[in-house]
Every structure is written in structure tokens, then in C-alpha cells.
Amino acid sequence: MKVLQVPFTYYPDAVGGTEVYVAALAQRLAGHGVECVIAAPGNAETSGEHAGLRVCRYPVNQNLQDVRAMYDAGDEAAAAAFDRILERERPQVVHLHAFTRGVSLRAARCAKRRGIPVAY
């Protein structure tokens, strides 16, 4: 089984408690045969590895003119980039760990359109 873990940010960028939890969760699940890939908003579409976990980044526009946009349906371009990660990775589950412009309702809808269960 493959799970796409989607926090607000991820290593090596600055992290908080959620990202520490996601790293520990992914490592623990790997011990049970569950492959985890991290998908996190960033400045550009990139992929790499951190501490043995694959990390896929997708760009999100954080330059907001209206604070209400922080909690709307989400950034359309970020959701499109997230959808490309879904296409490439083909996870069986998407686990969202935030609600932001990049980890958004639009991103969840991308997974649902593909028939992928979403946990939040």
C-alpha cells in the first residue's frame, strides 16, 4: 500500500509539530510495509529525498491580497500540480495534515475524482 502524506511544509524547510509527527508516522508505517511519499507545498515542482522518504513539492501562491483567500477552496495552480503528483505516484490513500491554500479542498477533490480515499 502507498500513502501520500500531505503536510503544510516538510524538511529540509522549517517545520513544526505536524511535520515532525508526519515524519515519525511515515517511518513507523514503513516498518509495517506501507510506503509513504510526502507531498508538500513549496516554491516549485521538485522531488527529492529526506531521511529515506521521497518528498514531492508543488508550488502554491501564498501572495494574498485578501486574508479570506487563506481559507477558501485553495490555489487552482497548486491543485493542478498536486493532481500531477497523484498521477505519477498513484497512492491508495491521501492523508491531509493541514488546511491551507496548498493543502486544500481543491487538492482533496483531485484525489476524490481519482477514486482515492482521503483522510484528514
Side-chain angles (χ1 to χ4, degrees), residues 48-65:
E49 189 175 301
H50 181 81
L53 294 170
R54 275 190 310 113
V55 180
C56 302
R57 303 269 184 194
Y58 56 98
V60 61
N61 179 5
Q62 297 290 3
N63 187 12
L64 304 176
Q65 301 302 316

Side-chain angles (χ1 to χ4, degrees), residues 21-43:
Y21 161 76
V22 168
L25 175 64
Q27 295 293 343
R28 186 73 174 205
L29 287 172
H32 293 281
V34 176
E35 178 184 2
C36 288
V37 176
I38 310 300
N43 294 323

Side-chain angles (χ1 to χ4, degrees), residues 62-72 101:
Q62 297 290 3
N63 187 12
L64 304 176
Q65 301 302 316
D66 186 344
V67 75
R68 291 176 293 190
M70 288 178 67
Y71 301 104
D72 64 7
R101 292 206 25 90

Side-chain angles (χ1 to χ4, degrees), residues 74-96:
D75 181 351
E76 287 182 59
F82 180 78
D83 195 48
R84 289 190 290 277
I85 293 171
L86 294 175
E87 175 68 26
R88 193 171 53 250
E89 295 298 330
R90 299 191 183 277
Q92 281 74 46
V93 175
V94 170
H95 188 176
L96 304 178

